[in-house]
Amino acid sequence: MLDSLISHDPKVLTEKKPDEIIASGVVESLQNFLRKCIIAVLSYGPMPKHIAFIMDGNRRYAKSRSIKQGTGHSVGFAALMASLIYCYEMGVKYITVYAFSIDNFKRDPSEVKTLMELMEEKINELLENKNVINKVNCKINFWGNLDMLPEPVRLAAQKLMASTAENTGLVFSVCMPYNSTSEIANAVTELCKERRDMMQGQQASGRNGRPANGGACSDISVSDLDRHMYTAGCPDPDIVIQTSGETRLSNFLLWQTTFSHLQNPDPLWPEFSWRHLVWAILQYQRAYPYIEQNKDLAKKQL
């Protein structure tokens, strides 16, 4: 299914015999029908609005198959595009992925260079061939310190964000280069700057540093910091999936995942498929009453 969305190569079509084309079309139609049936069954339970992925295992995938560096990430990109479509069909509104950690810059320079070139290539592919983006009417965000990226990658990311800014379908957020402690520090810095500008404005207008509402400029609430997080305006993830069986958050969305259902499936990211996503939804639905109970308890304690 994904291949038909990403490319329509006439050479591939002409190499197939008519009966092969018919057979593949029948199989695809059957797969689509079965997928719709499964989604209909799942929809009777609570469905997540926001799923976050820590795409772990690309390098191990390449190493286990003795393929060249970077190929695992290319296969992982195909798995990501497929997951976007599946999530859209399920009615998931927000998808966030951990694509590149700030800490990854500490890796071998040749590996970092390869990954940056691959990111630029894939971003440009999305800019040039918008079949997937158009199908899900996707708005794309890049969250993180973009100034740390090589200029070609940064410019391509900014261009992709601008070209999808008005889309109203699935919201797809790519965290790169990112880590949660950097995000929190950035939010504190932005809030302090906001308060400093506010106090300077009040002093200039003769309020002697006192806010118009009588409150104290030094008071900081959770909601104040929320406004300055990269995720502002986006609901917290219902599910966080880290592939390859790793049982850690890897400094990812630490502020936003208090009540997220954490899952650690064994498949490496390039191996993550439709059935793994379905199983993730089922696990979330089973845990949903407990998650909601904890949310209600936290609200009462405020």
Side-chain angles (χ1 to χ4, degrees), residues 44-222:
Y44 279 97
M47 294 294 287
K49 296 178 181 178
H50 184 180
I51 300 179
F53 295 98
I54 303 175
M55 304 183 293
D56 205 355
N58 292 304
R59 290 193 299 170
R60 275 171 281 175
Y61 178 86
K63 186 176 181 180
S64 67
R65 286 160 176 75
S66 300
I67 53 182
K68 67 179 182 179
Q69 182 177 310
T71 304
H73 290 83
S74 294
V75 180
F77 178 77
L80 173 59
M81 292 297 100
S83 294
L84 276 181
I85 294 170
Y86 297 149
C87 287
Y88 171 77
E89 291 175 346
M90 288 180 170
V92 179
K93 176 66 176 176
Y94 299 88
I95 299 296
T96 302
V97 299
Y98 200 2
F100 192 85
S101 169
I102 290 174
D103 296 328
N104 289 155
F105 282 114
K106 299 175 183 178
R107 293 180 179 177
D108 183 89
S110 63
E111 181 183 352
V112 174
K113 182 175 182 292
T114 298
L115 291 176
M116 290 295 111
E117 290 173 349
L118 180 63
M119 287 178 183
E120 181 186 1
E121 175 189 329
K122 296 306 179 185
I123 292 172
N124 285 327
E125 278 184 20
L126 290 175
L127 281 166
E128 294 167 7
N129 187 343
K130 293 187 176 181
N131 287 329
V132 175
I133 291 176
N134 291 338
K135 179 177 176 62
V136 300
N137 193 21
C138 185
K139 177 182 178 179
I140 299 180
N141 302 313
F142 285 90
W143 290 340
N145 187 351
L146 299 186
D147 290 336
M148 297 179 71
L149 294 172
E151 185 176 7
V153 183
R154 183 178 69 255
L155 293 177
Q158 291 171 340
K159 186 175 180 181
L160 184 57
M161 283 192 288
S163 69
T164 63
E166 301 302 319
N167 291 352
T168 57
L170 189 147
V171 178
F172 174 42
S173 302
V174 182
C175 295
M176 64 170 251
Y178 171 94
N179 64 37
S180 190
T181 48
S182 175
E183 179 187 18
I184 294 169
N186 180 74
V188 173
T189 301
E190 290 294 320
L191 181 57
C192 289
K193 181 180 182 299
E194 177 187 83
R195 291 301 174 86
R196 185 169 58 250
D197 293 344
M198 181 189 302
M199 292 183 69
Q200 289 174 349
Q202 290 166 350
Q203 288 172 351
S205 63
R207 295 186 185 277
N208 298 319
R210 290 173 299 180
N213 59 10
C217 280
S218 59
D219 291 344
I220 293 177
S221 67
V222 170

Side-chain angles (χ1 to χ4, degrees), residues 245-297:
E246 294 290 345
T247 54
R248 52 190 170 83
L249 275 173
S250 302
N251 206 351
F252 177 59
L253 298 181
L254 302 180
W255 181 268
Q256 299 89 348
T257 51
T258 303
F259 299 106
S260 301
H261 189 233
L262 309 181
Q263 301 185 22
N264 311 92
D266 290 330
L268 304 175
W269 174 251
E271 300 168 333
F272 192 81
S273 65
W274 160 254
R275 63 187 179 89
H276 299 119
L277 184 59
V278 170
W279 180 243
I281 303 293
L282 290 171
Q283 287 183 297
Y284 167 74
Q285 291 181 338
R286 184 173 62 178
Y288 182 80
Y290 175 73
I291 295 171
E292 290 301 301
Q293 181 182 359
N294 281 343
K295 285 183 181 179
D296 291 340
L297 182 61

